[in-house]
Amino acid sequence: MPKMKTKSGAKKRFSLTATGKVKFKPANKRHGMSKRPTDMKRQSRRNEVMADADAKKVIKFFLPNGL
């Protein structure tokens, strides 16, 4: 059986915390920022921790070996 490989797109988009949670950057920050509320722009600057149900799928299918 060959080794499980980490998806290269997931390497760039997600990172794992020391406790095994998945961090990601929020979407909708690429263009058209003048239309967006200031609160939305400020909140999407930082990383967020993914919900547990989604994080399990990301780890299982995209990051089997961690990072």
Side-chain angles (χ1 to χ4, degrees):
M1 187 98 188
K3 288 183 180 180
M4 291 280 293
K5 289 190 175 180
T6 298
K7 299 284 185 191
S8 60
K11 280 190 250 183
K12 300 165 192 169
R13 288 172 173 79
F14 307 118
S15 61
L16 296 178
T17 63
T19 56
K21 295 179 181 177
V22 180
K23 289 193 309 185
F24 69 99
K25 282 289 271 185
N28 303 321
K29 194 87 196 312
R30 295 294 178 200
H31 58 84
M33 297 309 292
S34 59
K35 302 173 193 173
R36 309 214 190 282
T38 310
D39 291 343
M40 182 180 176
K41 289 188 267 193
R42 192 181 326 105
Q43 287 168 2
S44 60
R45 264 183 226 147
R46 61 179 188 265
N47 288 336
E48 290 186 11
V49 176
M50 193 173 282
D52 289 337
D54 296 330
K56 284 180 186 173
K57 289 182 182 179
V58 167
I59 291 170
K60 182 177 178 182
F61 295 119
F62 301 128
L63 304 171
N65 304 320
L67 287 177

